[in-house]
Amino acid sequence: MKQLVQATIAIIIACFLLFFASRSLESVGMDGSKDTLTVYNWGEYIDPELIKQFQKETGIHVIYETFDSNEAMYTKIQQGGSSYDVAVPSEYMIETMIEDDMLIELDHSLLPNAQNIDPYFLDLPFDLKNKFSLPYFWGTVGIVYNPTMVPEDLTFTSWEDLWDERLKGKIFLVDGSREVIGMGLNSLGYSLNLKDDVALREATDKLIQLTPNVKAIIGDEITPLMINNEATVALTWSGQAADMMWENEELDFAVPEEGSNLWFDNMVIPKTSKNVAGAHAFINFMLDAENAAQNADYVGYSTPNAAAWALMDEEVITDERFYPDEELREHLEVYENLGLEWLGKYNEYFLEFKMNLN
């Protein structure tokens, strides 16, 4: 009888231990609970200290994962194998994700810091009334170059400067069909969202004439090459140019007057989220003026947070290369969702251009 009582007590204790262990696992968010938040963002696109600060203030543990393209991000979220609570796609991909019913509508009552955003960056065509997204960073596509390594008369205020024969073998291009084909279209005075085979043919033919000047089409390797003066000219994004210029003060950046891309990366909550309240808390935290200023100083990209501007170096926010005035913005276009058919055509023309490189 004594052994039976001891066994019964042991079973009861084991049950209690199992119960408390399961509650402990839940409390640390092993099941994607309210104490864990999974953020999916571009690489090197947040100040790590802000993640630590958010965790300290909220008690929410942040799992931070990165992607290197909108398409990779889209595919992983669509597959549903991972439960992401916050993601940071670009404007055209946000439009696609809305169409594909992949996003949760934001509860703006939980996002009071949204009032810090400059109205210029709100209510844009890809997400009217910002039902599904709020701005994180923004910027342009332009030309970074070393003035000491190019002829003095080339200031790259025009796309035409890239076709100058004196730049033979000196230009690097980012590996993106929208950026490169868009450059060709803009150089001819066309919209970079054009759905017209004749114009795309004309733009591609003109780009093929550029091939003698193109040294390579590459990705993030552009940054160290430009920093170390191993490259002379590059088509790139403004934030990437800012990173280069921080390390190499000889470099300069220009947005050609014919027009270019105005891009946005916005914060969204995918329907895979298991912590919607925590996702709202994180977005609101990132929109705080002090946090947004700190993040912009660390990342180097332009912040849409008007309240943060008062806390930042005036030389930064008045630098029209990275904070272009309204006159220049009138010549900039946001990428539109082209649809699968036309996106495929842009990719085909881009591939044709690449195949003509020596």
Side-chain angles (χ1 to χ4, degrees), residues 183-229:
M183 175 185 72
L185 289 167
N186 281 157
S187 72
L188 293 166
Y190 295 136
S191 165
L192 48 70
N193 293 305
L194 206 59
K195 297 179 180 180
D196 184 297
D197 279 310
V198 174
L200 285 168
R201 178 73 268 160
E202 186 180 355
T204 304
D205 289 342
K206 183 171 183 179
L207 287 170
I208 291 172
Q209 295 173 16
L210 180 67
T211 54
N213 290 1
V214 178
K215 188 171 185 178
I217 297 176
I218 54 179
D220 291 339
E221 307 95 308
I222 288 178
T223 299
L225 289 171
M226 292 298 297
I227 290 173
N228 297 322
N229 291 325

Side-chain angles (χ1 to χ4, degrees), residues 40-42 45 67 70 73 86-95 97-98 103 106 117 121-139 263-270 283 287 304 334:
Y40 201 24
N41 199 358
W42 300 84
Y45 212 36
F67 56 85
N70 280 290
M73 176 276 308
V86 178
V88 190
S90 301
E91 65 295 309
Y92 73 93
M93 188 55 70
I94 292 171
E95 188 175 358
M97 296 175 81
I98 293 172
L103 302 179
L106 299 178
I117 300 171
F121 303 107
L122 297 172
D123 197 26
L124 295 171
F126 64 88
D127 183 17
L128 293 174
K129 297 183 180 180
N130 292 92
K131 289 183 179 180
F132 297 93
S133 71
L134 284 169
Y136 182 67
F137 281 121
W138 67 282
W263 57 261
F264 295 90
D265 289 335
N266 285 18
M267 294 177 284
V268 303
I269 303 177
I283 292 173
L287 295 177
V334 176

Side-chain angles (χ1 to χ4, degrees), residues 143 145 150-158 161 252-256:
I143 301 168
Y145 65 102
V150 300
E152 290 184 5
D153 59 319
L154 293 183
T155 57
F156 301 99
T157 54
S158 171
D161 287 350
D252 202 351
F253 179 74
V255 179

Side-chain angles (χ1 to χ4, degrees), residues 264-337:
F264 295 90
D265 289 335
N266 285 18
M267 294 177 284
V268 303
I269 303 177
K271 284 195 171 180
T272 60
S273 175
K274 292 185 177 179
N275 188 355
V276 176
H280 280 86
F282 182 83
I283 292 173
N284 194 58
F285 173 85
M286 296 306 300
L287 295 177
D288 173 82
E290 290 187 5
N291 296 340
Q294 179 179 332
N295 204 31
D297 286 338
Y298 178 87
V299 175
Y301 280 70
S302 303
T303 177
N305 194 307
W309 298 342
L311 306 174
M312 296 171 64
D313 189 330
E314 188 173 354
E315 290 186 6
V316 173
I317 61 173
T318 57
D319 188 339
E320 293 186 357
R321 295 171 299 180
F322 304 104
Y323 287 84
D325 59 23
E326 291 186 16
E327 182 179 354
L328 178 56
R329 287 185 211 166
E330 291 179 0
H331 299 280
L332 303 176
E333 292 182 277
V334 176
Y335 286 140
E336 297 175 1
N337 176 18

Side-chain angles (χ1 to χ4, degrees), residues 43 58 76 93 102 124 170 177 188 196 206 220 235 237-238 260 264 288 294 322 324 336 343 346 355:
T58 64
K76 195 165 185 181
M93 188 55 70
M102 294 172 62
L124 295 171
K170 293 185 177 181
S177 62
L188 293 166
D196 184 297
K206 183 171 183 179
D220 291 339
L235 173 74
W237 298 277
S238 55
S260 186
F264 295 90
D288 173 82
Q294 179 179 332
F322 304 104
E336 297 175 1
L343 181 59
Y346 272 65
M355 292 177 65

Side-chain angles (χ1 to χ4, degrees), residues 157-173:
T157 54
S158 171
W159 290 113
E160 291 298 325
D161 287 350
L162 293 176
W163 276 261
D164 192 295
E165 61 184 12
R166 293 172 293 178
L167 295 179
K168 184 176 181 179
K170 293 185 177 181
I171 298 174
F172 283 92
L173 302 177

Side-chain angles (χ1 to χ4, degrees), residues 51-82:
I51 295 178
K52 294 178 183 178
Q53 183 180 331
F54 175 79
Q55 292 180 141
K56 183 177 180 180
E57 290 183 8
T58 64
I60 299 174
H61 174 66
V62 175
I63 299 171
Y64 191 79
E65 296 185 21
T66 63
F67 56 85
D68 59 8
S69 73
N70 280 290
E71 289 69 27
M73 176 276 308
Y74 173 89
T75 299
K76 195 165 185 181
I77 291 178
Q78 185 187 48
Q79 289 174 343
S82 301

